[in-house]
Amino acid sequence: MSYLKQWQAAKKQFETATGKKKPSESVLGVFRKSSGLESACKTLDAALAKPTLDSTEKAMVVFMKAREDYVKQLEKADKADKTDDYRKEIGKLSEALDSILMDYSVKKQEALNNAPRPLTDILGRHAKDLCSTDFLKKPGVKWFATAKEVQLSGVDGKPLPEAIACQKRFLASLKQYDTAVKTAKATCAKAFVVKAGIKEAVKQIGLITDAVSPMTEGARYHYMMWVEAQGKAFRDAGRAGDMRTFIEQGPLSAKIAAVGSLLEDEAGRLNNLEADIRDLHR
């Protein structure tokens, strides 16, 4: 039975039991018509017919507001009519509203779990994080991927082939990252049931993470190899002891450290995002 019919049946029972059909303000002074509740019940029914996170939440808010207003009127009506029978039936009417709300809460979650919905709707606020390209826009990341000074040896300031190769691979990893994010964004428009949607979202995070992780030779790997290439150049020049000074105190030290922090932060963000998304179905 629809929520509208449930409410209409409860109201009919009230009218029959009290012998007062659609009590008006002229009779009770404070009793209010239930058109707002009927509209709210229709909203609940419509939300379950085509459930989305937004529509089901909004429908509940609308119903709770209409219920609150109506219960206040019932309480006023209870004070206006002191008969026990009337008070008893008001209690039943209020219980009917509570029953609708509790039933909707359960069916809302069932509908959201079982009805195919866009992945953006399943993920809610996490969809924006999944499709974010903020990492690529960080000045430090762009600097390491394109700056000519990154291509030079810390020993003598001359082009270092190994450093140049690492920079090119780092840039390729950023392109891989960008492609993975675009794929995730396209996937977010597709419909899934919740369990399958969470699984797909985790898969998309994995593809983005691969472009960063050192375990999959992502951007962090090539950054680390660049540091190693610089270290090898110092060792080959017989100046191994100067490598630490170059990394920690040299003219590029602050920028180098910033890139390392950005890569570490992004890896942490993606790990946290995956955990948050997995929690949506627990």
Side-chain angles (χ1 to χ4, degrees):
M1 183 186 294
S2 70
Y3 293 121
L4 175 60
K5 289 183 178 180
Q6 287 182 46
W7 170 240
Q8 289 174 336
K11 193 172 67 166
K12 179 67 177 177
Q13 181 181 359
F14 169 82
E15 292 168 350
T16 300
T18 60
K20 301 169 182 175
K21 190 168 185 177
K22 290 187 179 180
S24 64
E25 290 187 7
S26 63
V27 176
L28 297 177
V30 292
F31 201 86
R32 184 175 170 179
K33 291 183 180 181
S34 62
S35 58
L37 267 171
E38 291 183 0
S39 175
C41 286
K42 289 179 183 178
T43 302
L44 295 181
D45 291 327
L48 290 184
K50 293 183 178 180
T52 67
L53 184 62
D54 186 54
S55 67
T56 54
E57 288 293 335
K58 284 184 178 178
M60 178 177 279
V61 171
V62 168
F63 179 82
M64 289 176 68
K65 178 65 169 59
R67 168 181 167 276
E68 180 184 5
D69 291 343
Y70 198 71
V71 167
K72 287 180 181 178
Q73 296 301 321
L74 289 176
E75 291 172 350
K76 289 181 181 180
D78 186 30
K79 293 178 181 178
D81 191 316
K82 301 298 183 180
T83 64
D84 290 339
D85 287 343
Y86 189 74
R87 184 170 301 151
K88 180 180 178 181
E89 295 306 319
I90 284 179
K92 289 181 180 179
L93 205 58
S94 183
E95 288 174 3
L97 292 172
D98 291 341
S99 178
I100 287 174
L101 183 59
M102 287 187 290
D103 186 74
Y104 177 78
S105 296
V106 173
K107 288 189 175 161
K108 162 180 166 287
Q109 195 56 51
E110 290 177 349
L112 290 176
N113 284 340
N114 299 321
R117 295 183 284 142
L119 187 55
T120 48
D121 191 64
I122 294 173
L123 299 182
R125 63 185 177 83
H126 301 302
K128 181 179 179 181
D129 293 331
L130 177 61
C131 300
S132 173
T133 57
D134 288 349
F135 171 70
L136 299 178
K137 300 172 186 176
K138 301 290 185 182
V141 173
K142 295 172 72 174
W143 170 79
F144 194 82
T146 59
K148 290 241 178 136
E149 54 194 334
V150 175
Q151 302 174 5
L152 307 180
S153 170
V155 176
D156 54 18
K158 295 180 180 179
L160 182 64
E162 292 87 347
I164 294 171
C166 288
Q167 186 188 54
K168 287 182 178 178
R169 291 169 189 148
F170 184 90
L171 179 58
S173 292
L174 298 188
K175 292 179 179 178
Q176 177 187 345
Y177 182 106
D178 184 55
T179 298
V181 171
K182 287 178 179 176
T183 300
K185 188 173 182 178
T187 302
C188 278
K190 299 179 181 178
F192 300 87
V193 296
V194 167
K195 189 173 182 179
I198 298 301
K199 183 178 180 180
E200 182 61 31
V202 169
K203 174 186 173 183
Q204 296 301 323
I205 294 172
L207 294 174
I208 299 170
T209 300
D210 284 349
V212 178
S213 174
M215 301 300 293
T216 50
E217 297 192 11
R220 290 183 79 187
Y221 176 82
H222 301 305
Y223 168 81
M224 293 163 61
M225 289 300 99
W226 180 88
V227 174
E228 175 58 29
Q230 293 288 356
K232 182 177 181 301
F234 275 97
R235 291 193 298 272
D236 290 347
R239 294 172 50 191
D242 293 336
M243 172 61 181
R244 183 171 181 177
T245 301
F246 168 72
I247 290 294
E248 296 182 0
Q249 301 175 25
L252 302 182
S253 59
K255 291 183 177 180
I256 294 169
V259 175
S261 295
L262 289 171
L263 290 165
E264 185 175 353
D265 290 347
E266 180 61 9
R269 184 189 79 85
L270 292 169
N271 286 336
N272 291 336
L273 178 59
E274 179 178 342
D276 289 343
I277 288 177
R278 287 184 185 276
D279 283 342
L280 292 176
H281 194 56
R282 290 176 184 169

